[in-house]
Amino acid sequence: MRGPVEIEPVASGVWRLEMEVAEAGLRSVCAYAVADGDGLVLIDAGWRSPQTDAGLERALESIGHSLADVSGVLLTHAHPDHYGLAGKLRERHGAWIALHSRDADLLAFGNGSFDRYVETWRDWLGEVGGVPAEDRVGLVEATVALRKVFTVPPPDIVFGDGWVAPLEELELRAVHTPGHSPGHVCFIAADGGLGFVGDHVLPDLTPNISAGPTVSDNPLGAYLASLARIRDLEGEVFLPGHGRPIEAAALAPRVGAIEAHHEQRLEAVTAMLAGGPATAWELTNRYPWARPMAEMGDLTRRSALCEITAHLQALEERGAVARETDGVVRWTVA
Ligand SMILES: [Zn+2]
Ligand SMILES: [Zn+2]
């Protein structure tokens, strides 16, 4: 990237905004600006930092608009790299924010009592994750740091599957695709042209699917069902939250590759249990990650644990593994 926010047209009246993400281990995030009446509606709003803040202003000026022209923000999900700047647009310019009800619930929990939030994570890491007290300290600290980024204003519009966004020109329908987050949606144009797919299908990365105390059991099962829902969508081009646009012909093969990745990981996790029962934390430490666990930061280690747990929950739902609970969950081959 040359600057903190790059802008390029991707269709008539639609621009792709690629925005720098200084933290969170990501290179960049994509938001999209859609011309609507005299103004603009954004699909996602990017990571909030002084650089992206000023960069968004300059990017919109380059297409003859200002921040004040943004009348609303449609969110594909409530992760901070997508939600970040939405609050500012509402505070300063009165833009509405729309989010699926399941992610709105998640946000309400994150915005609630700080102590309760941290305690919920601490308990989950110990009981479900099986993380011993000495390892839990760092993971809890990482949770506290992340929660500070997550404190964002609640949405003005809370919607469900099939909701049609209040745009004047483009008819965009929300398709609920839970998995990457419980309230993740794709916004699909009724004319079959564009699909905004958020982090549901990414061209280069495998979307992170994490279990945790704030999501219901088996997010990976939900995700795989959501992938099946998106595979055969009509459309010309699909615009993701990270990376380049996905042409229609590339969508089904990309979905297939992501499915294959998870099936391989499900097999690897099952194979690791052949030696006897283990906690999710023990399996996370044994898993052959590209980068060793010892070299990962605490947030990445927590993320790895949440991913392994998501795979265990999916295997449990399929009847391949079972859990034994005695204060701490241990997993065993069923
Ligand atoms: Zn995300
Ligand atoms: Zn993202």
Side-chain angles (χ1 to χ4, degrees):
M1 291 183 68
R2 292 186 307 277
V5 179
E6 301 289 326
I7 189 163
E8 62 168 340
V10 285
S12 169
V14 181
W15 295 266
R16 175 179 179 271
L17 292 152
E18 187 175 5
M19 306 164 89
E20 205 172 67
V21 180
E23 293 137 81
L26 291 162
R27 204 172 53 85
S28 66
V29 60
C30 298
Y32 298 89
V34 176
D36 193 54
D38 295 335
L40 294 169
V41 167
L42 293 189
I43 289 136
D44 290 336
W47 183 262
R48 185 168 193 173
S49 74
Q51 290 79 11
T52 51
D53 192 342
L56 180 63
E57 204 156 349
R58 281 197 299 275
L60 296 184
E61 276 165 10
S62 76
I63 58 165
H65 283 284
S66 70
L67 285 179
D69 292 342
V70 178
S71 58
V73 184
L74 296 169
L75 291 162
T76 59
H77 63 301
H79 288 168
D81 50 329
H82 300 257
Y83 206 124
L85 278 166
K88 182 205 153 155
L89 290 165
R90 185 171 74 176
E91 279 160 37
R92 291 220 206 135
H93 306 292
W96 48 259
I97 300 173
L99 181 68
H100 188 277
S101 61
R102 294 283 306 278
D103 271 22
D105 292 346
L106 202 67
L107 218 58
F109 180 70
N111 284 342
S113 155
F114 185 81
D115 290 344
R116 186 170 66 98
Y117 182 83
V118 174
E119 274 316 304
T120 305
W121 265 100
R122 196 193 312 276
D123 291 349
W124 187 89
L125 289 168
E127 289 160 22
V128 183
V131 184
E134 65 270 23
D135 290 325
R136 228 183 309 161
V137 177
L139 302 198
V140 170
E141 276 169 14
T143 302
V144 169
L146 186 69
R147 196 263 192 187
K148 286 181 180 148
V149 191
F150 249 117
T151 310
V152 286
D156 306 279
I157 301 172
V158 174
F159 62 82
D161 184 49
W163 177 72
V164 177
L167 308 192
E168 289 176 32
E169 286 160 37
L170 197 61
E171 190 178 329
L172 281 182
R173 187 170 54 90
V175 177
H176 187 207
T177 48
H180 176 69
S181 79
H184 192 289
V185 298
C186 297
F187 291 105
I188 306 297
D191 67 2
L194 296 173
F196 299 89
V197 294
D199 285 358
H200 187 45
V201 180
L202 301 174
D204 314 307
L205 302 166
T206 310
N208 177 292
I209 310 299
S210 287
T214 58
V215 300
S216 49
D217 259 11
N218 198 13
L220 181 58
Y223 178 68
L224 293 173
S226 297
L227 272 184
R229 201 172 179 201
I230 211 84
R231 184 203 320 263
D232 301 319
L233 275 181
E234 298 278 320
E236 283 161 25
V237 65
F238 296 91
L239 302 166
H242 304 272
R244 301 293 309 166
I246 303 168
E247 296 300 328
L251 183 67
R254 183 62 195 139
V255 166
I258 294 171
E259 284 169 342
H261 163 89
H262 287 296
E263 291 304 328
Q264 274 169 11
R265 187 162 281 181
L266 287 165
E267 274 174 34
V269 170
T270 311
M272 285 197 297
L273 283 172
T279 64
W281 182 243
E282 286 163 350
L283 294 172
T284 306
N285 279 280
R286 270 186 240 156
Y287 190 84
W289 303 103
R291 192 155 62 116
M293 279 280 278
E295 290 176 19
M296 294 179 188
D298 282 324
L299 193 59
T300 313
R301 281 146 58 93
R302 194 196 84 172
S303 194
L305 170 72
C306 293
E307 269 202 59
I308 291 297
T309 308
H311 284 77
L312 287 162
Q313 290 175 353
L315 288 165
E316 181 183 38
E317 187 98 348
R318 293 181 182 187
V321 308
R323 69 174 91 188
E324 298 164 355
T325 308
D326 177 18
V328 169
V329 174
R330 297 194 152 268
W331 299 89
T332 175
V333 178

